[in-house]
Amino acid sequence: MVMKISLILVLFTVFCVTFKTYAEVDAPNDHNNDPTLTNEEFHMKAKSSEPTRLNEEDEDYDISANPHRRSTKLHLRRRPMNHGDVPKTHALDSAIRDLIRIQTLHRKVTEKKESITIQQQKNPSNALIASLESSKGEFSGNIMATLKSGASLGTGEYFVDMFVGTPPKHVWLILDTGSDLSWIQCDPCYDCFDQNGPHYNPKYSSSYRNISCYDPRCQLVSSPDPLQRCKVENQTCPYFYDYADGSNTTGDFALEKFTVNLTSTNGEEKFKMVVDVTFGCGHWNKGFFHGAAGLLGLGRGPLSFSSQLQSIYGHSFSYCLTDLFSNTSTSSKLVFGKDNELLNNHNMNFTSLLAGEEIPDDTFYYLQIKSIMVGGEVLDIPEQTWHWSSEGAASGGAIIDSGSTLTFFPDSAYDIIKEAFEKKIKLHQIAADDFIMSPCYNVSGALQVELPDFEIHFADGAVWNFPAENYFYQYERDEVICLAILKTPHHSHFTIIGNLLQQNFHILYDMKRSRLGYSPRRCAGV
């Protein structure tokens, strides 16, 4: 889910001082100059062009344990402005968009709790699963897509490289583990936001098929208001998704081929067309989406791209987020399938993903936090702070979300975390009125700043510790650093682990074992 801002913000000069990042060694995988491949060009480029349908595959593996640290240092250095680079988004922008996004996350959980549960035998997701049966052919290797930061386009999200349709048309989609439906701006586009490259036109794709409004799968998407009744046999299934700030997408619920890069076990790269992926073909789209063609939903629900592809790659996917403010040539990978190199990493830790009656919504990836540690000290925050409650509208619980930039904690937890940092940091603190984040400190002239370590401890014993670059943001012109953690708005009990805290970690979603894996990694080299 991606939010729009209608506020006028003060703009800052950028790219003067940055965090010292890992070496960026990846060659760019950029298709901006070839948005569409003809059938002849595509098949010449691809070593394998057989369409893949979805077919069940089981995997077993086990990795555990990584020691945690107590202190960390933030290294600063100067870097000249690169001519031609688009200035990066300011943290202020991302913070306010996140505040609006949280309203939608909160509302979604509340509506889910109040809705009537559909009986299993009538559940429309059963029809979706049935439609994804494959030819039962053998499949090996991973499905891989290029992943880039969207900061150069003024957004705090990450973009995924995909091809859609026949012939395949290139698109960049926003990576979002906090939503299920994938959607793309489609011609005719009656009301659309600006994007890089032309809109996708289903009329020119031989593999595009609309889903009928009589189809059980149509019940999986929200309908426009007022509800449009099915009048004729071939009437298309309409969908409508809206967000708290007024952003929305409306169009036809449809089936299409999505083409992704496949890496086989012997290291050969191929392209693979995955048929019958459900998605939204949006003809009315309004929002703050910053150049992307649409959104790739990777939530836990049956509509998400990751759920639909489980029968090909099994029950896991992983990504490694580069420094959000790295240059435009830096990229990493989103990988669907078993990654032996990742699993054999001795630094890999796992914590449980909650499911079933433990969570109020099947879209989000819930984690069970036990405590927070700052500078080696376990903070006095009651463990029930991290539990979700079925009572009232507050809900609560902790989720990991690639679509939120910053990290948010409930009121009581945030106040204690903030106070712990203020006590341990021996720097000149700047008045909170000057910045949306707090506390903030003047680091002018400093090359190295020592900061307290920050760790999340989970109920199952796992520990996730972070480098200072992930939880402190630098306002470059002013040479000021601020704690990149905010209070969850509207007195919500939600805890949200955003993408800034996740950067330079290889993160694995293992749905078979219902667990989240994480390991420190130089993501630019993945």
Side-chain angles (χ1 to χ4, degrees):
M1 297 171 219
V2 185
M3 299 298 126
K4 177 182 177 182
I5 297 201
S6 58
L7 305 177
I8 299 176
L9 304 174
V10 178
L11 300 179
F12 289 78
T13 305
V14 298
F15 284 107
C16 296
V17 181
T18 65
F19 291 129
K20 180 178 182 182
T21 60
Y22 292 112
E24 297 166 349
V25 298
D26 261 13
N29 181 9
D30 202 339
H31 306 280
N32 288 338
N33 296 323
D34 61 337
T36 304
L37 297 180
T38 65
N39 279 324
E40 181 178 1
E41 291 170 332
F42 183 77
H43 290 300
M44 288 179 65
K45 186 173 182 180
K47 293 184 177 66
S48 171
S49 58
E50 289 299 315
T52 300
R53 293 182 185 269
L54 309 171
N55 131 85
E56 219 38 59
E57 178 181 333
D58 291 333
E59 300 170 349
D60 291 298
Y61 42 78
D62 189 23
I63 300 288
S64 62
N66 182 36
H68 58 82
R69 304 163 302 149
R70 282 204 165 195
S71 61
T72 188
K73 292 182 180 179
L74 179 65
H75 298 271
L76 309 176
R77 70 171 182 177
R78 294 187 177 274
R79 179 174 70 190
M81 171 75 85
N82 294 323
H83 294 293
D85 279 354
V86 180
K88 74 183 183 183
T89 184
H90 198 277
L92 217 58
D93 301 347
S94 296
I96 296 176
R97 285 199 301 276
D98 284 349
L99 295 176
I100 300 171
R101 174 185 173 87
I102 291 169
Q103 296 179 41
T104 299
L105 300 181
H106 180 84
R107 185 187 64 189
K108 179 175 173 60
V109 172
T110 302
E111 290 175 351
K112 182 75 173 183
K113 289 195 304 177
E114 294 173 351
S115 66
I116 300 174
T117 303
I118 302 174
Q119 294 181 1
Q120 182 65 29
Q121 62 270 24
K122 295 182 179 180
N123 194 330
S125 64
N126 294 338
L128 178 61
I129 294 171
S131 74
L132 300 177
E133 291 184 353
S134 74
S135 58
K136 307 297 182 183
E138 290 297 322
F139 182 89
S140 63
N142 297 330
I143 297 177
M144 186 180 299
T146 299
L147 192 60
K148 285 189 175 183
S149 166
S152 63
L153 295 175
T155 182
E157 288 82 34
Y158 288 81
F159 288 1
V160 181
D161 189 22
M162 288 276 177
F163 288 90
V164 179
T166 306
K169 173 181 169 54
H170 178 253
V171 293
W172 285 102
L173 303 177
I174 293 172
L175 176 80
D176 191 4
T177 60
S179 65
D180 289 331
L181 179 70
S182 298
W183 57 270
I184 298 173
Q185 293 203 115
C186 287
D187 279 334
C189 230
Y190 301 110
D191 184 13
C192 292
F193 54 85
D194 291 336
Q195 71 174 61
N196 288 353
H199 300 140
Y200 165 77
N201 193 331
K203 182 172 67 174
Y204 298 129
S205 173
S206 60
S207 52
Y208 176 88
R209 290 186 292 131
N210 279 314
I211 292 175
S212 164
C213 74
Y214 283 101
D215 193 307
R217 290 170 292 189
C218 191
Q219 300 176 41
L220 291 169
V221 292
S222 302
S223 298
D225 188 16
L227 178 66
Q228 298 179 8
R229 301 287 182 184
C230 294
K231 297 179 181 179
V232 293
E233 184 79 22
N234 61 349
Q235 182 176 331
T236 62
C237 173
Y239 79 90
F240 173 72
Y241 270 59
D242 70 321
Y243 305 102
D245 65 330
S247 300
N248 56 70
T249 174
T250 303
D252 298 316
F253 192 40
L255 298 167
E256 185 56 286
K257 289 182 181 178
F258 277 59
T259 303
V260 288
N261 192 6
L262 178 148
T263 303
S264 63
T265 52
N266 62 7
E268 290 184 356
E269 288 194 355
K270 305 177 182 179
F271 284 88
K272 203 72 173 181
M273 292 181 292
V274 185
V275 303
D276 290 345
V277 175
T278 60
F279 80 113
C281 191
H283 302 293
W284 294 267
N285 313 289
K286 182 173 69 173
F288 197 58
F289 298 102
H290 282 306
L295 183 146
L296 188 73
L298 295 179
R300 298 184 74 166
L303 275 181
S304 80
F305 187 77
S306 53
S307 295
Q308 292 186 63
L309 266 68
Q310 278 187 2
S311 59
I312 295 176
Y313 65 82
H315 298 265
S316 64
F317 70 92
S318 64
Y319 57 71
C320 203
L321 304 180
T322 61
D323 175 6
L324 182 61
F325 302 124
S326 57
N327 63 52
T328 55
S329 66
T330 304
S331 65
S332 59
K333 297 296 181 184
L334 166 66
V335 180
F336 297 95
K338 186 176 181 180
D339 187 334
N340 289 324
E341 180 185 357
L342 177 61
L343 293 170
N344 291 330
N345 187 337
H346 69 278
N347 289 324
M348 177 63 69
N349 284 271
F350 285 103
T351 188
S352 300
L353 290 169
L354 305 184
E357 296 181 355
E358 297 176 298
I359 61 172
D361 187 89
D362 60 4
T363 295
F364 306 132
Y365 296 97
Y366 280 89
L367 306 170
Q368 187 57 70
I369 295 176
K370 180 180 180 180
S371 61
I372 300 294
M373 181 177 283
V374 174
E377 176 188 353
V378 177
L379 304 186
D380 186 19
I381 303 173
E383 188 173 346
Q384 57 264 33
T385 301
W386 322 112
H387 296 179
W388 81 272
S389 171
S390 59
E391 301 297 326
S395 295
I399 66 172
I400 181 169
D401 178 24
S402 68
S404 295
T405 304
L406 302 181
T407 292
F408 293 83
F409 287 99
D411 292 12
S412 57
Y414 170 80
D415 291 338
I416 295 172
I417 293 170
K418 176 186 174 184
E419 183 181 3
F421 275 103
E422 289 175 327
K423 286 181 178 179
K424 294 179 181 295
I425 296 177
K426 309 302 180 184
L427 294 170
H428 174 65
Q429 188 169 343
I430 298 173
D433 293 343
D434 296 334
F435 301 94
I436 194 171
M437 290 179 272
S438 177
C440 296
Y441 300 93
N442 188 341
V443 293
S444 178
L447 295 178
Q448 181 174 288
V449 177
E450 191 162 348
L451 296 168
D453 196 18
F454 177 68
E455 303 174 357
I456 296 178
H457 292 233
F458 297 100
D460 56 10
V463 177
W464 196 349
N465 52 69
F466 306 90
E469 289 87 350
N470 290 26
Y471 55 92
F472 270 89
Y473 175 80
Q474 186 173 357
Y475 290 82
E476 290 140 323
R477 185 190 70 176
D478 301 282
E479 298 189 352
V480 168
I481 60 170
C482 293
L483 183 65
I485 294 173
L486 293 182
K487 181 183 298 186
T488 313
H490 311 296
H491 304 290
S492 170
H493 291 185
F494 252 137
T495 295
I496 301 173
I497 298 175
N499 61 44
L500 189 63
L501 204 59
Q502 300 174 49
Q503 67 183 5
N504 286 313
F505 280 91
H506 208 149
I507 298 176
L508 170 67
Y509 295 75
D510 178 0
M511 302 315 299
K512 181 180 179 181
R513 297 195 173 187
S514 194
R515 59 183 183 171
L516 181 84
Y518 50 93
S519 174
R521 188 76 179 267
R522 296 183 178 184
C523 290
V526 172

